[in-house]
PDB file of all heavy atoms in Angstrom:
ATOM      1  N   TYR A   8      83.073 125.549  76.713  1.00 98.00           N
ATOM      2  CA  TYR A   8      83.602 124.239  77.101  1.00 98.00           C
ATOM      3  C   TYR A   8      83.189 123.737  78.506  1.00 98.00           C
ATOM      4  O   TYR A   8      83.654 122.700  78.935  1.00 98.00           O
ATOM      5  CB  TYR A   8      85.134 124.253  76.986  1.00 98.00           C
ATOM      6  CG  TYR A   8      85.560 124.459  75.557  1.00 98.00           C
ATOM      7  CD1 TYR A   8      86.120 125.664  75.149  1.00 98.00           C
ATOM      8  CD2 TYR A   8      85.384 123.454  74.612  1.00 98.00           C
ATOM      9  CE1 TYR A   8      86.494 125.860  73.832  1.00 98.00           C
ATOM     10  CE2 TYR A   8      85.777 123.645  73.287  1.00 98.00           C
ATOM     11  CZ  TYR A   8      86.343 124.855  72.903  1.00 98.00           C
ATOM     12  OH  TYR A   8      86.682 125.039  71.598  1.00 98.00           O
ATOM     13  N   ALA A   9      82.280 124.439  79.176  1.00 98.00           N
ATOM     14  CA  ALA A   9      81.876 123.998  80.487  1.00 98.00           C
ATOM     15  C   ALA A   9      81.264 122.620  80.480  1.00 98.00           C
ATOM     16  O   ALA A   9      81.563 121.783  81.353  1.00 98.00           O
ATOM     17  CB  ALA A   9      80.900 125.022  81.094  1.00 98.00           C
ATOM     18  N   ASP A  10      80.408 122.326  79.511  1.00 98.00           N
ATOM     19  CA  ASP A  10      79.758 121.018  79.466  1.00 98.00           C
ATOM     20  C   ASP A  10      80.789 119.907  79.261  1.00 98.00           C
ATOM     21  O   ASP A  10      80.709 118.864  79.896  1.00 98.00           O
ATOM     22  CB  ASP A  10      78.746 120.968  78.332  1.00 98.00           C
ATOM     23  CG  ASP A  10      77.494 121.797  78.630  1.00 98.00           C
ATOM     24  OD1 ASP A  10      77.258 122.129  79.794  1.00 98.00           O
ATOM     25  OD2 ASP A  10      76.769 122.106  77.670  1.00 98.00           O
ATOM     26  N   LEU A  11      81.785 120.138  78.396  1.00 98.00           N
ATOM     27  CA  LEU A  11      82.802 119.137  78.147  1.00 98.00           C
ATOM     28  C   LEU A  11      83.601 118.865  79.421  1.00 98.00           C
ATOM     29  O   LEU A  11      83.792 117.699  79.825  1.00 98.00           O
ATOM     30  CB  LEU A  11      83.766 119.614  77.055  1.00 98.00           C
ATOM     31  CG  LEU A  11      85.055 118.796  76.914  1.00 98.00           C
ATOM     32  CD1 LEU A  11      84.769 117.467  76.242  1.00 98.00           C
ATOM     33  CD2 LEU A  11      86.094 119.589  76.155  1.00 98.00           C
ATOM     34  N   VAL A  12      84.094 119.934  80.076  1.00 98.00           N
ATOM     35  CA  VAL A  12      84.912 119.767  81.279  1.00 98.00           C
ATOM     36  C   VAL A  12      84.109 119.117  82.382  1.00 98.00           C
ATOM     37  O   VAL A  12      84.569 118.219  83.071  1.00 98.00           O
ATOM     38  CB  VAL A  12      85.540 121.106  81.706  1.00 98.00           C
ATOM     39  CG1 VAL A  12      86.232 120.995  83.031  1.00 98.00           C
ATOM     40  CG2 VAL A  12      86.472 121.617  80.614  1.00 98.00           C
ATOM     41  N   ASP A  13      82.861 119.537  82.518  1.00 98.00           N
ATOM     42  CA  ASP A  13      81.985 118.955  83.537  1.00 98.00           C
ATOM     43  C   ASP A  13      81.823 117.446  83.314  1.00 98.00           C
ATOM     44  O   ASP A  13      81.942 116.667  84.242  1.00 98.00           O
ATOM     45  CB  ASP A  13      80.626 119.654  83.530  1.00 98.00           C
ATOM     46  CG  ASP A  13      79.710 119.150  84.600  1.00 98.00           C
ATOM     47  OD1 ASP A  13      79.897 119.482  85.777  1.00 98.00           O
ATOM     48  OD2 ASP A  13      78.763 118.403  84.218  1.00 98.00           O
ATOM     49  N   LYS A  14      81.545 117.074  82.079  1.00 98.00           N
ATOM     50  CA  LYS A  14      81.353 115.659  81.760  1.00 98.00           C
ATOM     51  C   LYS A  14      82.602 114.845  82.049  1.00 98.00           C
ATOM     52  O   LYS A  14      82.548 113.767  82.662  1.00 98.00           O
ATOM     53  CB  LYS A  14      80.942 115.506  80.305  1.00 98.00           C
ATOM     54  CG  LYS A  14      80.712 114.071  79.871  1.00 98.00           C
ATOM     55  CD  LYS A  14      80.310 113.949  78.419  1.00 98.00           C
ATOM     56  CE  LYS A  14      80.107 112.493  78.064  1.00 98.00           C
ATOM     57  NZ  LYS A  14      79.860 112.296  76.685  1.00 98.00           N
ATOM     58  N   LEU A  15      83.748 115.321  81.614  1.00 98.00           N
ATOM     59  CA  LEU A  15      84.997 114.593  81.803  1.00 98.00           C
ATOM     60  C   LEU A  15      85.326 114.415  83.295  1.00 98.00           C
ATOM     61  O   LEU A  15      85.666 113.355  83.750  1.00 98.00           O
ATOM     62  CB  LEU A  15      86.135 115.317  81.091  1.00 98.00           C
ATOM     63  CG  LEU A  15      86.085 115.308  79.562  1.00 98.00           C
ATOM     64  CD1 LEU A  15      87.170 116.211  79.003  1.00 98.00           C
ATOM     65  CD2 LEU A  15      86.238 113.920  79.019  1.00 98.00           C
ATOM     66  N   VAL A  16      85.209 115.500  84.045  1.00 98.00           N
ATOM     67  CA  VAL A  16      85.560 115.453  85.447  1.00 98.00           C
ATOM     68  C   VAL A  16      84.570 114.564  86.221  1.00 98.00           C
ATOM     69  O   VAL A  16      84.971 113.759  87.048  1.00 98.00           O
ATOM     70  CB  VAL A  16      85.599 116.895  86.060  1.00 98.00           C
ATOM     71  CG1 VAL A  16      85.686 116.845  87.552  1.00 98.00           C
ATOM     72  CG2 VAL A  16      86.789 117.659  85.435  1.00 98.00           C
ATOM     73  N   CYS A  17      83.291 114.714  85.929  1.00 97.00           N
ATOM     74  CA  CYS A  17      82.281 113.897  86.595  1.00 97.00           C
ATOM     75  C   CYS A  17      82.419 112.420  86.332  1.00 97.00           C
ATOM     76  O   CYS A  17      82.223 111.585  87.205  1.00 97.00           O
ATOM     77  CB  CYS A  17      80.869 114.371  86.229  1.00 97.00           C
ATOM     78  SG  CYS A  17      80.415 115.924  87.002  1.00 97.00           S
ATOM     79  N   GLU A  18      82.774 112.073  85.102  1.00 97.00           N
ATOM     80  CA  GLU A  18      82.982 110.645  84.771  1.00 97.00           C
ATOM     81  C   GLU A  18      84.068 110.003  85.642  1.00 97.00           C
ATOM     82  O   GLU A  18      83.974 108.871  86.012  1.00 97.00           O
ATOM     83  CB  GLU A  18      83.348 110.475  83.302  1.00 97.00           C
ATOM     84  CG  GLU A  18      82.181 110.614  82.379  1.00 97.00           C
ATOM     85  CD  GLU A  18      82.533 110.427  80.926  1.00 97.00           C
ATOM     86  OE1 GLU A  18      83.643 110.017  80.608  1.00 97.00           O
ATOM     87  OE2 GLU A  18      81.649 110.708  80.082  1.00 97.00           O
ATOM     88  N   VAL A  19      85.076 110.773  85.989  1.00 96.00           N
ATOM     89  CA  VAL A  19      86.186 110.265  86.779  1.00 96.00           C
ATOM     90  C   VAL A  19      85.869 110.321  88.282  1.00 96.00           C
ATOM     91  O   VAL A  19      86.185 109.395  89.021  1.00 96.00           O
ATOM     92  CB  VAL A  19      87.499 111.021  86.471  1.00 96.00           C
ATOM     93  CG1 VAL A  19      88.608 110.587  87.386  1.00 96.00           C
ATOM     94  CG2 VAL A  19      87.880 110.838  85.005  1.00 96.00           C
ATOM     95  N   LEU A  20      85.265 111.390  88.727  1.00 96.00           N
ATOM     96  CA  LEU A  20      85.197 111.661  90.157  1.00 96.00           C
ATOM     97  C   LEU A  20      83.886 111.337  90.878  1.00 96.00           C
ATOM     98  O   LEU A  20      83.869 111.326  92.102  1.00 96.00           O
ATOM     99  CB  LEU A  20      85.549 113.124  90.428  1.00 96.00           C
ATOM    100  CG  LEU A  20      86.972 113.547  90.097  1.00 96.00           C
ATOM    101  CD1 LEU A  20      87.139 115.033  90.331  1.00 96.00           C
ATOM    102  CD2 LEU A  20      87.957 112.759  90.936  1.00 96.00           C
ATOM    103  N   THR A  21      82.811 111.138  90.126  1.00 94.00           N
ATOM    104  CA  THR A  21      81.505 110.975  90.791  1.00 94.00           C
ATOM    105  C   THR A  21      81.511 109.910  91.892  1.00 94.00           C
ATOM    106  O   THR A  21      80.873 110.097  92.925  1.00 94.00           O
ATOM    107  CB  THR A  21      80.418 110.717  89.720  1.00 94.00           C
ATOM    108  OG1 THR A  21      80.377 111.815  88.867  1.00 94.00           O
ATOM    109  CG2 THR A  21      79.074 110.507  90.402  1.00 94.00           C
ATOM    110  N   SER A  22      82.215 108.819  91.688  1.00 90.00           N
ATOM    111  CA  SER A  22      82.163 107.726  92.653  1.00 90.00           C
ATOM    112  C   SER A  22      83.033 107.978  93.923  1.00 90.00           C
ATOM    113  O   SER A  22      82.880 107.291  94.926  1.00 90.00           O
ATOM    114  CB  SER A  22      82.631 106.428  92.021  1.00 90.00           C
ATOM    115  OG  SER A  22      84.007 106.535  91.629  1.00 90.00           O
ATOM    116  N   VAL A  23      83.926 108.974  93.857  1.00 92.00           N
ATOM    117  CA  VAL A  23      84.837 109.159  95.030  1.00 92.00           C
ATOM    118  C   VAL A  23      84.830 110.564  95.602  1.00 92.00           C
ATOM    119  O   VAL A  23      85.359 110.751  96.696  1.00 92.00           O
ATOM    120  CB  VAL A  23      86.289 108.779  94.667  1.00 92.00           C
ATOM    121  CG1 VAL A  23      86.423 107.317  94.288  1.00 92.00           C
ATOM    122  CG2 VAL A  23      86.838 109.687  93.590  1.00 92.00           C
ATOM    123  N   ALA A  24      84.276 111.524  94.899  1.00 93.00           N
ATOM    124  CA  ALA A  24      84.434 112.897  95.356  1.00 93.00           C
ATOM    125  C   ALA A  24      83.097 113.560  95.635  1.00 93.00           C
ATOM    126  O   ALA A  24      82.155 113.403  94.866  1.00 93.00           O
ATOM    127  CB  ALA A  24      85.190 113.722  94.325  1.00 93.00           C
ATOM    128  N   PRO A  25      83.041 114.360  96.721  1.00 94.00           N
ATOM    129  CA  PRO A  25      81.822 115.173  96.928  1.00 94.00           C
ATOM    130  C   PRO A  25      81.754 116.290  95.870  1.00 94.00           C
ATOM    131  O   PRO A  25      82.760 116.625  95.244  1.00 94.00           O
ATOM    132  CB  PRO A  25      82.023 115.734  98.324  1.00 94.00           C
ATOM    133  CG  PRO A  25      83.434 115.509  98.693  1.00 94.00           C
ATOM    134  CD  PRO A  25      83.994 114.500  97.784  1.00 94.00           C
ATOM    135  N   ASP A  26      80.557 116.832  95.721  1.00 95.00           N
ATOM    136  CA  ASP A  26      80.338 117.860  94.694  1.00 95.00           C
ATOM    137  C   ASP A  26      81.293 119.016  94.788  1.00 95.00           C
ATOM    138  O   ASP A  26      81.726 119.553  93.784  1.00 95.00           O
ATOM    139  CB  ASP A  26      78.896 118.386  94.761  1.00 95.00           C
ATOM    140  CG  ASP A  26      77.895 117.341  94.283  1.00 95.00           C
ATOM    141  OD1 ASP A  26      78.294 116.369  93.645  1.00 95.00           O
ATOM    142  OD2 ASP A  26      76.683 117.545  94.550  1.00 95.00           O
ATOM    143  N   LYS A  27      81.677 119.426  96.002  1.00 96.00           N
ATOM    144  CA  LYS A  27      82.570 120.628  96.113  1.00 96.00           C
ATOM    145  C   LYS A  27      83.939 120.313  95.486  1.00 96.00           C
ATOM    146  O   LYS A  27      84.529 121.222  94.889  1.00 96.00           O
ATOM    147  CB  LYS A  27      82.659 121.101  97.546  1.00 96.00           C
ATOM    148  CG  LYS A  27      83.509 120.268  98.464  1.00 96.00           C
ATOM    149  CD  LYS A  27      83.634 120.934  99.816  1.00 96.00           C
ATOM    150  CE  LYS A  27      84.705 120.220 100.618  1.00 96.00           C
ATOM    151  NZ  LYS A  27      85.020 120.926 101.850  1.00 96.00           N
ATOM    152  N   TYR A  28      84.407 119.104  95.589  1.00 97.00           N
ATOM    153  CA  TYR A  28      85.676 118.738  94.966  1.00 97.00           C
ATOM    154  C   TYR A  28      85.570 118.697  93.472  1.00 97.00           C
ATOM    155  O   TYR A  28      86.509 119.077  92.746  1.00 97.00           O
ATOM    156  CB  TYR A  28      86.230 117.411  95.495  1.00 97.00           C
ATOM    157  CG  TYR A  28      86.742 117.473  96.913  1.00 97.00           C
ATOM    158  CD1 TYR A  28      86.140 116.753  97.914  1.00 97.00           C
ATOM    159  CD2 TYR A  28      87.833 118.258  97.227  1.00 97.00           C
ATOM    160  CE1 TYR A  28      86.616 116.763  99.214  1.00 97.00           C
ATOM    161  CE2 TYR A  28      88.330 118.309  98.553  1.00 97.00           C
ATOM    162  CZ  TYR A  28      87.706 117.582  99.519  1.00 97.00           C
ATOM    163  OH  TYR A  28      88.199 117.620 100.803  1.00 97.00           O
ATOM    164  N   ILE A  29      84.451 118.185  93.008  1.00 97.00           N
ATOM    165  CA  ILE A  29      84.219 118.148  91.553  1.00 97.00           C
ATOM    166  C   ILE A  29      84.166 119.582  90.996  1.00 97.00           C
ATOM    167  O   ILE A  29      84.803 119.891  90.000  1.00 97.00           O
ATOM    168  CB  ILE A  29      82.927 117.364  91.255  1.00 97.00           C
ATOM    169  CG1 ILE A  29      83.130 115.878  91.600  1.00 97.00           C
ATOM    170  CG2 ILE A  29      82.506 117.546  89.782  1.00 97.00           C
ATOM    171  CD1 ILE A  29      81.883 115.019  91.514  1.00 97.00           C
ATOM    172  N   ASP A  30      83.413 120.441  91.676  1.00 97.00           N
ATOM    173  CA  ASP A  30      83.323 121.827  91.225  1.00 97.00           C
ATOM    174  C   ASP A  30      84.678 122.519  91.221  1.00 97.00           C
ATOM    175  O   ASP A  30      85.004 123.260  90.311  1.00 97.00           O
ATOM    176  CB  ASP A  30      82.353 122.621  92.107  1.00 97.00           C
ATOM    177  CG  ASP A  30      80.909 122.166  91.928  1.00 97.00           C
ATOM    178  OD1 ASP A  30      80.582 121.461  90.928  1.00 97.00           O
ATOM    179  OD2 ASP A  30      80.097 122.483  92.841  1.00 97.00           O
ATOM    180  N   GLU A  31      85.484 122.244  92.247  1.00 97.00           N
ATOM    181  CA  GLU A  31      86.833 122.831  92.334  1.00 97.00           C
ATOM    182  C   GLU A  31      87.712 122.320  91.198  1.00 97.00           C
ATOM    183  O   GLU A  31      88.501 123.072  90.616  1.00 97.00           O
ATOM    184  CB  GLU A  31      87.459 122.543  93.675  1.00 97.00           C
ATOM    185  CG  GLU A  31      86.886 123.354  94.806  1.00 97.00           C
ATOM    186  CD  GLU A  31      87.513 123.011  96.155  1.00 97.00           C
ATOM    187  OE1 GLU A  31      88.549 122.346  96.208  1.00 97.00           O
ATOM    188  OE2 GLU A  31      86.919 123.422  97.184  1.00 97.00           O
ATOM    189  N   CYS A  32      87.609 121.062  90.913  1.00 98.00           N
ATOM    190  CA  CYS A  32      88.396 120.446  89.818  1.00 98.00           C
ATOM    191  C   CYS A  32      88.027 121.091  88.494  1.00 98.00           C
ATOM    192  O   CYS A  32      88.919 121.373  87.675  1.00 98.00           O
ATOM    193  CB  CYS A  32      88.204 118.962  89.784  1.00 98.00           C
ATOM    194  SG  CYS A  32      89.259 118.091  88.626  1.00 98.00           S
ATOM    195  N   ILE A  33      86.756 121.304  88.258  1.00 98.00           N
ATOM    196  CA  ILE A  33      86.301 121.945  87.029  1.00 98.00           C
ATOM    197  C   ILE A  33      86.873 123.360  86.946  1.00 98.00           C
ATOM    198  O   ILE A  33      87.454 123.732  85.914  1.00 98.00           O
ATOM    199  CB  ILE A  33      84.764 121.939  86.969  1.00 98.00           C
ATOM    200  CG1 ILE A  33      84.269 120.502  86.777  1.00 98.00           C
ATOM    201  CG2 ILE A  33      84.273 122.846  85.837  1.00 98.00           C
ATOM    202  CD1 ILE A  33      82.773 120.319  87.004  1.00 98.00           C
ATOM    203  N   ALA A  34      86.705 124.130  87.985  1.00 98.00           N
ATOM    204  CA  ALA A  34      87.223 125.496  88.019  1.00 98.00           C
ATOM    205  C   ALA A  34      88.741 125.521  87.844  1.00 98.00           C
ATOM    206  O   ALA A  34      89.289 126.331  87.084  1.00 98.00           O
ATOM    207  CB  ALA A  34      86.825 126.182  89.294  1.00 98.00           C
ATOM    208  N   ASP A  35      89.440 124.611  88.545  1.00 97.00           N
ATOM    209  CA  ASP A  35      90.900 124.565  88.455  1.00 97.00           C
ATOM    210  C   ASP A  35      91.336 124.212  87.029  1.00 97.00           C
ATOM    211  O   ASP A  35      92.429 124.664  86.605  1.00 97.00           O
ATOM    212  CB  ASP A  35      91.459 123.513  89.406  1.00 97.00           C
ATOM    213  CG  ASP A  35      91.378 123.955  90.862  1.00 97.00           C
ATOM    214  OD1 ASP A  35      91.117 125.162  91.126  1.00 97.00           O
ATOM    215  OD2 ASP A  35      91.575 123.081  91.750  1.00 97.00           O
ATOM    216  N   SER A  36      90.569 123.449  86.301  1.00 98.00           N
ATOM    217  CA  SER A  36      90.925 123.101  84.923  1.00 98.00           C
ATOM    218  C   SER A  36      90.941 124.352  84.047  1.00 98.00           C
ATOM    219  O   SER A  36      91.873 124.534  83.242  1.00 98.00           O
ATOM    220  CB  SER A  36      89.939 122.072  84.355  1.00 98.00           C
ATOM    221  OG  SER A  36      89.993 120.867  85.078  1.00 98.00           O
ATOM    222  N   PHE A  37      89.948 125.220  84.210  1.00 98.00           N
ATOM    223  CA  PHE A  37      89.924 126.460  83.449  1.00 98.00           C
ATOM    224  C   PHE A  37      91.051 127.396  83.865  1.00 98.00           C
ATOM    225  O   PHE A  37      91.676 128.043  83.012  1.00 98.00           O
ATOM    226  CB  PHE A  37      88.552 127.140  83.566  1.00 98.00           C
ATOM    227  CG  PHE A  37      87.488 126.462  82.764  1.00 98.00           C
ATOM    228  CD1 PHE A  37      86.538 125.665  83.387  1.00 98.00           C
ATOM    229  CD2 PHE A  37      87.432 126.614  81.389  1.00 98.00           C
ATOM    230  CE1 PHE A  37      85.542 125.026  82.665  1.00 98.00           C
ATOM    231  CE2 PHE A  37      86.451 125.972  80.638  1.00 98.00           C
ATOM    232  CZ  PHE A  37      85.491 125.165  81.281  1.00 98.00           C
TER     233      PHE A  37
END
């Protein structure tokens, strides 16, 4: 499910969050 979670999180956060926050959000989801 990494691709799914990555896609969902990136769709929401790409415009406001640096990569480290996106990566943390993905990890926190799991």
Side-chain angles (χ1 to χ4, degrees):
Y8 296 107
D10 289 342
L11 168 74
V12 173
D13 183 74
K14 181 180 178 186
L15 293 171
V16 170
C17 286
E18 283 181 10
V19 174
L20 293 177
T21 298
S22 65
V23 298
D26 288 345
K27 75 175 192 171
Y28 287 117
I29 292 172
D30 293 342
E31 286 177 14
C32 186
I33 292 167
D35 288 347
S36 298
F37 285 104

